[in-house]
Amino acid sequence: MINLTINGVKIEAEEGMTIYEAAQKAGIYIPVLCYHPDLSTFGACRVCMVEANGNLVTACRLPVEEGMEVQTNTREVQEVRLFNVELILANHNQDCQTCVRNNNCKLQEVSSFVGIDLQRMERIRRFQVETPVDDSNPFFHRDHSRCILCGICIRACEEVNGVAALDFAFRGYNTAVSVAGNKPLTESSCESCGECMERCPTGALAPVKQKTPEREVASVCPYCGVGCNIFLGVRGKQIVGVRGDKESPVNHGELCVKGRFGYDFVNHPERLQKPLIKKKGEFVEASWDEALDLVAERFKGITDKNGPNALGALSSARCSNEDNYLFQKLIRSLGTNNVDHCARL
Ligand code: SF4
Ligand code: SF4
Ligand code: SF4
C-alpha cells in the first residue's frame, strides 16, 4: 500500500492507482470528463487537474507515490479547472432543454461544480461549428454541436467492441469525431452496438428513442446463447430501454446491437399473441388447446406412417434453457434425436 495525503487527510492507496482512483476510494470528489472507468486514460479534458507535491498534474493519469501530498481545491487548481471547462463550453450547444441528457449530463455536473459565470461565458462564447446531425443510424444520433471531444466513444469502440470505427478528424475548431471518410455511421464499419453512446458524457451520442423508465427489471437477453444479463427499463407495460448489467460475469455490462436496441418486438402491434392454424389456405386464430391437439395429431400421423425419425424439431435461442431442455425431452420421448437449436438468430 502507498501512504499519501489528499487535502491533508492521510489515506492509503494500492500501488499503481492513480490520484483520481485513490481520491474516489477515499470519497473525495475530483471532476472528470474524458475519464471512464472501463477505458484507458486519455488526460485530454484537463478538468481533473490537482496539485501534487506542488505541481499541477492530471489526477486521472498520475499514479500515487509514497508520501505524496495532493491538494484538490487550491485557488490555482480551481482557476485552471474553470478555464478548461470554459474552453469546452465556448462552442458547445447549450440548448440543454432539448437535450436528451438534460439532468443526466457529465458536462452539466462539472460546469456546476467549477462554478461557471454565465455573464463571463456570454463574453467568451465563440461560434458553433455547423455540422449536420448524423441521423443515419436507426438507433442513435451523432450531434457534433454537443460533442466535447473527450474521446470516450473512440476508446469504447476500440477497447470494448474491438471495432475502431471512430477517430478524431480535421483540426482546430473543425476537429470532430468521425468515421473513415467522414461518412454517415451506416456507411462505416460501425456495428451499432451502442457501447460508445452508452458512455458518452453529453448528448452528442444519444438514443433515437428516449424515455426515462419508471423502474428496471433484471432479465436475460433472449436473442442468443451468450445470455447477456440486462436491466429492462419499463414504463407501465412498455419496455423503453435496455442496459447491460455491469456486475454480470457473462457480459460485464456490454451488449450487442440486438440486446441493446432490439426490444421493439415485445410491444409490437403485429406480434403474434395467439396461435394461427391454416384453414383453406388462410391463417386463422385458434386457441392453444386446438393448436396443441393439432400438433399432437400430426406428430402421431407422421410417426405411425414413417417412424419417429421422420420427425425433426428446431428449438429457439429466445427460449430459456429450461424451456429448451423440456423441448428436447419431449421430442426424444417421441423416439427421435432429431432435435436442434438455432444458437444465433
Ligand atoms: S461523441 Fe460523446 S463520447 Fe465521443 S468525443 Fe464527443 S462527447 Fe466524447
Ligand atoms: S456503435 Fe459500437 S461499433 Fe459503432 S461506433 Fe459505437 S462502439 Fe463503435
Ligand atoms: S444477442 Fe447480443 S446482447 Fe443478446 S445475449 Fe447475444 S451477444 Fe448478448
Side-chain angles (χ1 to χ4, degrees), residues 91-103:
N91 62 352
H92 186 81
N93 179 340
Q94 284 173 311
D95 189 2
C96 294
Q97 295 305 319
T98 62
C99 180
V100 293
R101 291 256 199 254
N102 194 17
N103 295 325

Side-chain angles (χ1 to χ4, degrees), residues 14-280:
E14 284 149 40
E15 196 171 351
M17 266 187 168
T18 61
I19 297 173
Y20 175 73
E21 287 163 344
Q24 261 205 323
K25 193 176 154 217
I28 298 166
Y29 180 77
I30 295 176
V32 281
L33 282 173
C34 71
Y35 170 87
H36 195 285
D38 300 343
L39 307 172
S40 60
T41 52
F42 191 41
C45 70
R46 320 306 276 185
V47 300
C48 70
M49 299 299 281
V50 294
E51 238 179 69
N53 296 341
N55 297 317
L56 277 177
V57 297
T58 46
C60 76
R61 281 178 76 87
L62 195 74
V64 289
E65 285 171 16
E66 187 63 35
M68 194 180 240
E69 289 178 14
V70 178
Q71 294 291 335
T72 68
N73 255 323
T74 62
R75 191 165 156 210
E76 203 180 352
V77 165
Q78 289 180 25
E79 280 176 5
V80 168
R81 277 188 196 150
L82 176 63
F83 183 62
N84 288 336
V85 177
E86 283 175 345
L87 286 178
I88 292 168
L89 288 175
N91 62 352
H92 186 81
N93 179 340
Q94 284 173 311
D95 189 2
C96 294
Q97 295 305 319
T98 62
C99 180
V100 293
R101 291 256 199 254
N102 194 17
N103 295 325
N104 181 26
C105 168
K106 205 74 186 141
L107 186 57
Q108 281 180 335
E109 174 198 308
V110 170
S111 301
S112 149
F113 180 77
V114 298
I116 289 294
D117 177 337
L118 287 178
Q119 283 182 341
R120 193 174 130 81
M121 236 14 261
E122 284 307 315
R123 287 201 301 278
I124 62 172
R125 204 151 156 69
R126 289 289 175 271
F127 66 91
Q128 265 173 237
V129 179
E130 300 278 332
T131 316
V133 174
D134 177 358
D135 57 4
S136 64
N137 189 296
F139 309 115
F140 60 92
H141 295 316
R142 274 198 312 160
D143 181 351
H144 294 279
S145 71
R146 300 188 199 274
C147 177
I148 58 170
L149 300 175
C150 66
I152 285 179
C153 54
I154 297 171
R155 281 171 284 146
C157 190
E158 184 169 352
E159 295 171 20
V160 178
N161 200 24
V163 171
L166 304 169
D167 209 337
F168 289 114
F170 312 114
R171 290 180 159 224
Y173 277 122
N174 294 317
T175 307
V177 174
S178 175
V179 298
N182 195 27
K183 291 184 173 164
L185 265 177
T186 40
E187 291 175 36
S188 73
S189 55
C190 168
E191 295 176 350
S192 301
C193 66
E195 292 295 343
C196 53
M197 178 204 78
E198 192 65 25
R199 291 171 179 79
C200 178
T202 69
L205 291 171
V208 172
K209 291 181 197 158
Q210 170 82 7
K211 275 187 184 168
T212 311
E214 286 167 357
R215 65 199 164 92
E216 286 194 320
V217 179
S219 189
V220 176
C221 172
Y223 276 107
C224 88
V226 176
C228 294
N229 287 200
I230 54 176
F231 287 103
L232 299 170
V234 179
R235 244 195 212 196
K237 289 189 174 176
Q238 251 203 335
I239 296 174
V240 294
V242 177
R243 72 176 175 91
D245 179 358
K246 277 196 169 298
E247 304 303 318
S248 161
V250 177
N251 55 317
H252 305 285
E254 293 160 26
L255 296 172
C256 77
V257 57
K258 293 187 286 182
R260 191 183 311 282
F261 298 112
Y263 53 84
D264 276 1
F265 73 93
V266 178
N267 298 104
H268 199 280
E270 286 177 19
R271 183 178 173 187
L272 273 188
Q273 309 258 1
K274 291 183 180 158
L276 301 177
I277 294 178
K278 209 172 212 178
K279 291 178 181 168
K280 296 181 185 158

